[in-house]
Amino acid sequence: CHDSDGELHEFDSKWRNADCYDCFCSRDGIQCCSSFMTPVGYDEEKCVSIFNKETCTYKVVEKDDHSKECPIHEWVG
């Protein structure tokens, strides 16, 4: 299988791509799904979500002070 970056993967192989998606190559093609949960239940007026590609996680912080985390009440993934 060739992925969207043009890399070749063997059949029945698994990998995580640079966008934090877990992918699998089969004879039917490539299937990918997110390896992370996305925060949706937080105060969007006061806070902002920031994605870290190194850890494949979101952090929700105050817009005016990124050192203060905001409570998250709901995640989707």
Side-chain angles (χ1 to χ4, degrees):
C1 302
H2 280 95
D3 66 18
S4 58
D5 295 326
E7 250 184 85
L8 183 62
H9 298 273
E10 291 184 18
F11 290 128
D12 300 323
S13 65
K14 296 178 183 180
W15 68 96
R16 180 167 287 174
N17 69 17
D19 294 319
C20 296
Y21 283 81
D22 290 329
C23 299
F24 175 75
C25 170
S26 71
R27 295 195 184 275
D28 294 328
I30 295 177
Q31 297 176 5
C32 296
C33 62
S34 65
S35 65
F36 53 88
M37 299 289 285
T38 303
V40 293
Y42 64 91
D43 185 347
E44 294 185 31
E45 300 265 330
K46 180 181 174 185
C47 305
V48 62
S49 65
I50 300 171
F51 189 71
N52 181 331
K53 278 193 173 185
E54 291 196 14
T55 61
C56 297
T57 58
Y58 276 98
K59 186 174 186 177
V60 179
V61 294
E62 290 185 6
K63 289 180 180 177
D64 297 334
D65 185 352
H66 285 195
S67 69
K68 294 182 181 176
E69 290 192 42
C70 297
I72 305 163
H73 305 290
E74 191 175 351
W75 296 82
V76 295

